[in-house]
Amino acid sequence: MTVVTRFAPSPTGFLHIGGARTALFNYLYAKHMGGKFLLRIEDTDRQRSTQEAVDAISAGLKWLGLDWDGEAVSQFSRAARHAEVAQELLDKGKAYKCYCTPEELTEMREAAKAAGQPMRYNGLWRDRDPSEAPAGVDPVVRIKAEHSGETVIEDLIQGKVTVSNAEIDDFVILRGDGTPTYMLAVVVDDHDMGVTHVVRGDDHLTNTFRQMQIYDAMGWERPIFAHMPLLHGADGKKLSKRHGALGVEAYRDMGLLPEAVNNYLLRLGWGHGDAEIISREQAIEWFDVVDVGKAPARFDADKLASLNAHYMREAENNRLFELIWPGVVQLLDGKVAENAAERILTGMTDLKARAKNTIELTESASFYARTHPIPLNDKAIALLNDEGREVLQRMRDILAAFDDWHSGPLQDQAKAYAEGAELKLGKVAQPLRAALTGSNVSPGVFEVMEILGKDETLGRIDDALGSTA
Ligand code: GLU
C-alpha cells in the first residue's frame, strides 16, 4: 500500500503554527513511508474563505519546504461530486431527506439543552414517508446513522477509542441549497484522493466517529487515523491568538529560518532519543506518527529562538547574505557603500555566529555597509572618552604607517602598543571597535579592520576623533 497523507486547511486565515505542525507531521510520515503528501484547500465556507488565505497557506508551506505532491485540490470545486455521493446514499437508503422546520429544530435543541444533552436530531424524518413532505421546503439530506453497536477507531496516536453509536445522530450531509457539509466533503475527498492516513488535530476526533458512518454507508474502506494533540501555550491552554499564535510568515518576519521552525515543530510532541538538532533527512528517516505523544505540547518561544541561533551558525553565508541584504539597504535608506555587499559577505562567518536571527544579523551587519561618518551608539560614545580617544589617536598614528593590512599583523600592532603602554588589549580594541562599528559589540575588531580596508578604517577613526567631545 502506498501511504497517502494530506493537509487540509480551511483558508480563513494565515497558516497557523499549529497547522504548520500538522502539515509537517503529514509530510514527514508520507516521506518516511515513501508515499505521497497532498494538499486540499477546504474552501467550502465561501463567506470565510479568501484567496489571500490560500496564498498565505501555500507560501507558508513552501517557506517551510513542505512541498505537496500534485496540484492542490479545492474542496469547493468538488461540490458536484459531493452532491452525487449524497444522492447515491439516498438511492441506497442510507440517507434521507429531512423537511424539518427551523421551529422544530429549535424545539429539539431546547429539549436537549433542558436534558443537559448536546443537540441531537431526533430522527423525525428518518422513517417518515416523503409524500408527507411540506410543499416549498428545500430538504436537507441526513445520513441514516447506525444507532446500535459501537464505533471503534484504532487511532495511531490515541490508541483504541470507542464511541457508542447511540451517541451519533442523523447529521446533515447536504444542505437545503444542495451544498455539502464539511462532514460529507471531507470523507468524499479523502476517499477520492486515495488518502490512506488521516493525521490531524485531536479536535477532529468526534468528527471522525461521524465520518465513519459515511465510509460505512458507502462501503468504502476507512483510512487509518492519527489524531495529534493540539499545541498549547506556555500557560497550558490551547494555543490561540492570545498567546501570540502567529502565521508562519510572522516567524519569517521575526528573522527565523525555516529549518529552525521545522526542527522546533518536529520536537513538539515527538522525539528521537536525545536528539535536539534534527535535519530534514533525519526527520524523514526517523519520524513515525505512532511515536507522537498523547500529551499536548507546549509552545516555548525561547527554545525556538535558541534553535534558530544554531541554524544561523550552520547556514551558508551566501544564503544569509541574500536574506538580509534587502533589509540592510532599507535600514540605510539605500545609502550603502560601494563595496558594502562584499564586506558583509566576507565578514559573514563572524557576524552570523553572534546573531540569533536574521533581524539581529541585518542590524549587526549594517556597519559594514555604511559610508562614513557612521553613527555611534551610546556605549560607543562612552568608550570614546578621553582615555579612549588617547588610545585611538595613538593607534591611528601606528596604523597610518602600517600597510600589512591583515587581521593577524594588525592585531600584533595593537598588542605591541598595548604592551608598551601597559594596557590590556581590550583597552585598545574597545575604542577601535567603537570608532569602526559604532557599537561596543561586533565581530573581532582586527577582522573588521581588514574587511573595511585601510582607508575606511582611518576615515572612521578620524571621524571619531573629530566628532566626539
Ligand atoms: N479543514 C479542517 C481544519 O482546518 C481540517 C480537516 C481535516 O484535517 O480533516 O481544521
Side-chain angles (χ1 to χ4, degrees):
M1 173 182 69
T2 304
V3 164
V4 179
T5 66
R6 65 10 174 223
F7 178 50
S10 306
T12 55
F14 45 56
L15 174 61
H16 179 278
I17 196 76
R21 175 165 159 268
T22 305
L24 174 67
F25 284 16
N26 273 285
Y27 172 91
L28 291 177
Y29 188 60
K31 299 290 155 185
H32 175 75
M33 300 298 286
K36 282 193 164 48
F37 167 63
L38 308 180
L39 175 62
R40 180 171 71 238
I41 303 291
E42 302 213 314
D43 50 359
T44 42
D45 182 343
R46 302 313 282 167
Q47 244 83 56
R48 296 177 60 223
S49 300
T50 64
Q51 187 56 43
E52 290 77 59
V54 174
D55 294 343
I57 290 167
S58 308
L61 290 174
K62 285 193 183 133
W63 182 70
L64 289 169
L66 302 177
D67 296 319
W68 54 95
D69 291 298
E71 291 286 313
V73 171
S74 149
Q75 187 158 67
F76 176 67
S77 74
R78 295 179 35 81
R81 167 69 180 148
H82 304 142
E84 182 183 292
V85 171
Q87 186 57 50
E88 212 175 312
L89 288 167
L90 281 170
D91 295 346
K92 287 175 190 257
K94 301 276 189 188
Y96 61 93
K97 291 184 179 170
C98 161
Y99 294 85
C100 271
T101 61
E103 293 72 35
E104 285 168 324
L105 290 169
T106 308
E107 237 169 71
M108 276 178 227
R109 198 165 293 120
E110 279 170 4
K113 208 167 154 194
Q117 303 274 328
M119 160 67 180
R120 285 171 46 84
Y121 178 72
N122 66 8
L124 200 60
W125 283 89
R126 185 174 165 114
D127 299 310
R128 202 154 153 187
D129 196 319
S131 65
E132 290 175 37
V137 177
D138 288 329
V140 299
V141 177
R142 289 183 182 273
I143 187 91
K144 204 174 244 180
E146 181 58 58
H147 292 321
S148 61
E150 47 190 29
T151 300
V152 180
I153 300 173
E154 296 287 350
D155 191 281
L156 292 186
I157 297 171
Q158 307 292 331
K160 184 170 171 174
V161 194
T162 307
V163 159
S164 158
N165 288 341
E167 285 178 37
I168 298 169
D169 71 350
D170 292 352
F171 56 90
V172 176
I173 55 174
L174 205 68
R175 299 190 189 89
D177 63 2
T179 60
T181 59
Y182 161 70
M183 221 54 83
L184 176 67
V186 77
V187 171
V188 175
D189 290 349
D190 281 338
H191 172 265
D192 289 1
M193 290 164 75
V195 171
T196 59
H197 290 71
V198 172
V199 180
R200 60 185 171 191
D202 63 10
D203 51 335
H204 284 286
L205 189 56
T206 51
N207 289 335
T208 301
F209 288 99
R210 301 177 143 220
Q211 290 165 14
M212 289 300 161
Q213 297 274 342
I214 304 178
Y215 281 103
D216 294 353
M218 284 301 290
W220 288 341
E221 192 181 335
R222 299 168 173 188
I224 295 165
F225 289 90
H227 288 92
M228 4 186 319
L230 295 179
L231 276 188
H232 284 195
D235 59 0
K237 302 220 172 81
K238 192 179 147 186
L239 196 70
S240 70
K241 284 193 189 139
R242 212 167 29 80
H243 294 99
L246 300 167
V248 163
E249 73 287 350
Y251 291 92
R252 180 197 60 206
D253 295 347
M254 277 183 235
L256 300 178
L257 296 175
E259 56 271 42
V261 176
N262 271 309
N263 192 151
Y264 177 69
L265 290 177
L266 175 63
R267 289 284 292 104
L268 286 176
W270 177 88
H272 182 84
D274 296 336
E276 285 296 341
I277 303 294
I278 304 173
S279 69
R280 173 58 59 82
E281 292 68 29
Q282 285 169 324
I284 289 174
E285 190 184 328
W286 295 337
F287 184 81
D288 191 325
V289 83
V290 298
D291 299 326
V292 174
K294 268 205 243 183
R298 289 195 187 198
F299 190 80
D300 175 351
D302 292 341
K303 192 159 174 211
L304 175 54
S306 83
L307 270 173
N308 200 65
H310 166 85
Y311 282 103
M312 290 287 292
R313 291 192 292 276
E314 301 272 299
E316 293 260 347
N317 290 356
N318 277 321
R319 172 177 166 222
L320 288 176
F321 171 76
E322 298 292 339
L323 284 175
I324 66 163
W325 180 246
V328 170
V329 174
Q330 195 182 24
L331 193 69
L332 304 187
D333 271 335
K335 291 188 217 65
V336 295
E338 210 178 307
N339 45 0
E342 191 190 320
R343 288 184 196 155
I344 292 178
L345 259 174
T346 315
M348 188 58 92
T349 302
D350 234 1
L351 286 168
K352 73 184 181 186
R354 286 155 216 270
K356 286 204 286 298
N357 54 57
T358 60
I359 305 286
E360 276 187 24
L361 185 63
T362 305
E363 280 159 15
S364 64
S366 64
F367 79 86
Y368 273 134
R370 292 183 187 275
T371 52
H372 73 93
I374 64 163
L376 308 176
N377 71 17
D378 289 348
K379 296 212 166 116
I381 291 172
L383 284 168
L384 294 170
N385 55 14
D386 289 346
E387 190 190 345
R389 287 157 58 77
E390 163 82 24
V391 168
L392 199 58
Q393 183 63 60
R394 299 295 307 277
M395 277 308 297
R396 198 240 176 252
D397 297 340
I398 294 168
L399 294 171
F402 189 71
D403 284 318
D404 188 5
W405 211 258
H406 298 285
S407 61
L410 287 165
Q411 180 168 6
D412 293 342
Q413 292 297 306
K415 265 191 190 151
Y417 162 66
E419 266 161 37
E422 294 190 357
L423 291 171
K424 286 201 172 132
L425 184 59
K427 282 281 176 199
V428 178
Q430 279 306 74
L432 280 168
R433 168 172 284 123
L436 298 177
T437 71
S439 172
N440 60 320
V441 280
S442 79
V445 72
F446 304 105
E447 173 178 306
V448 169
M449 289 165 82
E450 176 176 335
I451 291 173
L452 289 176
K454 183 169 177 178
D455 287 352
E456 183 72 19
T457 298
L458 293 182
R460 290 187 184 195
I461 292 175
D462 288 344
D463 293 337
L465 287 170
S467 68
T468 354

